Amino acid sequence: MENTHKAAQDADSAMDSTQDCLTATDSRTGKTYQLPITDDTILAIDLRGIKVNEEDFGMLSYDPGLTNTVIGRSSICFIDGEKGILEYRGYRIEEMARHGTYLEIAWLVLNGELPNAAELDLFRAEVRAATVIPANMEKLADVLNADMHPMSMLESMLSALGGEFPDADEVLDAEVRHQQIIRLIALTPVLAALGHRRREGLGPIEVKPELSYTGNFLHMLLSKDGREANLAPALERAMDALLILHAEHEQNCSANAVRAVGSSHVNPYSAVAAGAAALHGPLHGGANQAVLEMLDQIDSLEDVPAFIESCKNGERRLMGFGHRVYKNHDPRAKVIGELAASVFEATEPNPKLEIARELERIALEDPYFTERKLFPNVDFYSGLIYSAMGFKPRSFTVFFAVARMIGWVTHWDEMMSNPKTRIVRPRQIYTGYARRDWVAMNDR
Ligand code: CMC
């Protein structure tokens, strides 16, 4: 029997003789191996010791979509997808959305504890002091095509922002990292508003540091012609809760992009620009826009059953439904359902809401969706809320990005402060040609 203990020690953990092991027999050689188990996982590198002969590279694990691969240890966020549980630093999402404010939750995500009053005041002051946007960013917003998708605009601006702060390259310095984190939390809403105002043809706007983080964001988005945006308090509260609900979600596609890109030690602005690019896609954060576009394709309640059929027969996906991790319900969707009720009371009735409710009702009774454990996710109703606030669908994913920035930078900081972090570099199974000889141009 061979032990892969040596590889385990080299990679991540120490092992003692009482440690649980997975015993695996390789039918190609008849050899049996002991793979140490820690936290219900085996180390992928331990598989490398399983070889047919000495020349063999060793076994790898195959996991397209990384559906069953742990990429590291993290203390930021806990999800139990089977039970529909989401917690940041041990606090339940339902309680945070009900009782917290966005900056308070951002501090919690970043630092691991709820802030006391003095800590929160200091954090607010730090963020406010960092809201001064470099003049070049305004110039950049002016030259970008106003019809460009707002997420493409944000991705470009986040990346360009890194060029304004060359000190950010010192990614192994904790102090420097903290400074960039504050800048990114402070400036992402400003960049989002710059892009929004450019698209809507609105003039420049001053930040209002005396407002809350969310209040200032809404002011930058909505105030026009010298007139202050006058949003019902229920709507500002709903926006704040939406930002909290979207703040963090462990190893999702965009956080994984931030981690993978950040692992090259590039500055954090490039890393979060990659995160924003990942979020942009309709299977991830772009789903909130896609839900509204889907609702626009359904004219009346009578058309809903046929639309559901088209989702079942593979013509399209029911956007805002399904999740890689949640197989019972998405706890964020439940909170959003309650928020939606408060928002729709304060706004004009939206005929799309009835269509969404009918889609949900029919899907939740249909074996296609129930057997595949497809439930409404965070994005099913969030777009309707943004829409009720007067925003266009193309802006929705930008709001998600503003909220998720704290999750991205916290993952980046956690990763960069871990001395064991290595550049992310997966393997592949090569399916191309075997080596062949060069063919001269005239012979092709
Ligand atoms: N509509 C119809 N069928 C679906 C849907 C859907 N929305 N989602 C999954 N399925 C089917 C899929 O066709 C497959 O069926 P079969 O087993 O017959 O091939 C089965 O369910 C499993 O789907 P999958 O694509 O293997 O699941 P995944 O874990 O790879 O994908 C997902 C998760 C969220 C990308 C997917 O459910 C989806 O595309 N949903 C719609 C887009 C959406 O709402 N995304 C937002 C996610 S929440 C916000 C965030 O990103 O955090």
Side-chain angles (χ1 to χ4, degrees):
M1 186 170 304
E2 306 217 350
N3 200 316
T4 53
H5 180 188
K6 165 92 178 47
Q9 279 181 329
D10 290 347
D12 199 18
S13 66
M15 174 188 164
D16 63 52
S17 56
T18 61
Q19 180 157 11
D20 288 330
C21 282
L22 179 72
T23 304
T25 302
D26 185 345
S27 66
R28 298 170 304 172
T29 59
K31 282 189 190 163
T32 296
Y33 298 83
Q34 293 277 32
L35 305 174
I37 300 173
T38 308
D39 295 328
D40 292 336
T41 63
I42 57 163
L43 286 175
I45 195 72
D46 282 354
L47 297 172
R48 198 73 73 73
I50 302 177
K51 297 180 177 204
V52 181
N53 55 46
E54 271 316 300
E55 283 74 51
D56 186 4
F57 182 74
M59 187 165 283
L60 302 168
S61 64
Y62 181 67
D63 189 9
L66 301 180
T67 57
N68 201 43
T69 293
V70 168
I71 62 113
R73 293 174 188 278
S74 178
S75 60
I76 305 167
C77 180
F78 172 78
I79 298 178
D80 183 331
E82 299 301 320
K83 295 194 182 122
I85 295 173
L86 168 62
E87 295 167 357
Y88 306 159
R89 305 287 190 180
Y91 291 98
R92 284 194 296 276
I93 192 65
E94 295 83 353
E95 293 205 325
M96 291 187 288
R98 234 160 256 148
H99 306 300
T101 58
Y102 181 72
L103 271 195
E104 187 182 14
I105 301 305
W107 203 93
L108 167 73
V109 170
L110 188 59
N111 297 294
E113 298 295 338
L114 283 170
N116 62 31
E119 286 165 337
L120 185 54
D121 279 349
L122 190 65
F123 188 48
R124 276 198 199 108
E126 264 189 303
V127 170
R128 277 175 189 159
T131 46
V132 184
I133 192 88
N136 280 337
M137 301 312 294
E138 290 176 357
K139 289 190 208 147
L140 174 61
D142 280 346
V143 297
L144 290 175
N145 180 347
D147 287 336
M148 178 187 273
H149 192 284
M151 279 303 285
S152 303
M153 226 181 230
L154 184 66
E155 289 153 43
S156 310
M157 291 199 281
L158 283 170
S159 180
L161 193 60
E164 299 294 316
F165 302 119
D167 54 324
D169 288 344
E170 300 301 322
V171 293
L172 296 179
D173 182 322
E175 265 304 303
V176 172
R177 284 204 301 276
H178 179 74
Q179 205 181 356
Q180 312 321 314
I181 288 170
I182 296 294
R183 282 173 175 159
L184 277 164
I185 298 167
L187 291 177
T188 305
V190 186
L191 296 180
L194 259 182
H196 179 81
R197 300 186 74 81
R198 162 111 176 99
R199 277 188 317 283
E200 300 293 315
L202 302 171
I205 188 99
E206 295 290 314
V207 296
K208 283 205 148 201
E210 68 276 17
L211 297 179
S212 71
Y213 184 84
T214 302
N216 181 47
F217 183 36
L218 289 168
H219 151 73
M220 290 188 293
L221 292 169
L222 295 171
S223 294
K224 47 179 106 156
D225 307 328
R227 275 181 294 115
E228 282 305 307
N230 192 13
L231 216 61
L235 299 192
E236 182 179 331
R237 177 65 203 130
M239 180 59 122
D240 200 57
L242 283 169
L243 294 184
I244 292 171
L245 291 169
H246 287 88
E248 161 55 9
H249 212 236
E250 52 120 292
Q251 309 298 332
N252 57 85
C253 179
S254 56
N256 183 59
V258 171
R259 279 185 175 262
V261 173
S263 77
S264 73
H265 289 198
V266 71
N267 72 66
Y269 301 90
S270 292
V272 297
L279 190 76
H280 186 164
L283 300 190
H284 190 9
N288 50 19
Q289 173 184 341
V291 169
L292 259 279
E293 288 167 354
M294 171 181 84
L295 295 176
D296 278 342
Q297 291 169 31
I298 306 172
D299 292 329
S300 70
L301 290 180
E302 289 71 53
D303 296 332
V304 170
F307 192 90
I308 290 277
E309 279 310 308
S310 70
C311 297
K312 288 162 59 178
N313 67 27
E315 276 174 56
R316 52 166 63 93
R317 290 207 157 189
L318 181 57
M319 301 312 285
F321 257 68
H323 201 276
R324 169 62 62 77
V325 181
Y326 295 119
K327 298 298 173 196
N328 176 322
H329 68 272
D330 180 339
R332 303 168 298 176
K334 274 197 165 178
V335 181
I336 285 188
E338 292 166 24
L339 274 180
S342 72
V343 168
F344 299 136
E345 265 172 35
T347 55
E348 301 284 309
N350 182 347
K352 297 290 166 201
L353 178 62
E354 260 190 277
I355 291 182
R357 288 196 171 132
E358 184 66 354
L359 277 171
E360 181 184 12
R361 187 188 68 76
I362 296 184
L364 291 180
E365 286 174 358
D366 190 307
Y368 174 92
F369 294 92
T370 53
E371 281 165 13
R372 289 172 177 75
K373 302 187 175 173
L374 303 171
F375 300 93
N377 59 47
V378 67
D379 287 325
F380 193 66
Y381 284 110
S382 65
L384 279 166
I385 299 182
Y386 296 134
S387 182
M389 291 174 177
F391 295 110
K392 297 187 182 135
R394 276 166 45 122
S395 296
F396 300 168
T397 312
V398 173
F399 303 157
F400 194 156
V402 168
R404 185 54 60 83
M405 184 55 65
I406 186 63
W408 292 337
V409 292
T410 307
H411 277 280
W412 172 73
D413 191 49
E414 184 181 66
M415 179 183 75
M416 297 314 296
S417 59
N418 181 351
K420 288 186 176 164
T421 294
R422 299 174 73 188
I423 189 165
V424 172
R425 203 320 183 173
R427 297 276 178 176
Q428 64 168 16
I429 296 173
Y430 177 63
T431 59
Y433 288 108
R435 183 186 301 153
R436 43 194 184 148
D437 291 330
W438 175 254
V439 181
M441 183 66 80
N442 288 343
D443 297 333
R444 288 177 211 164

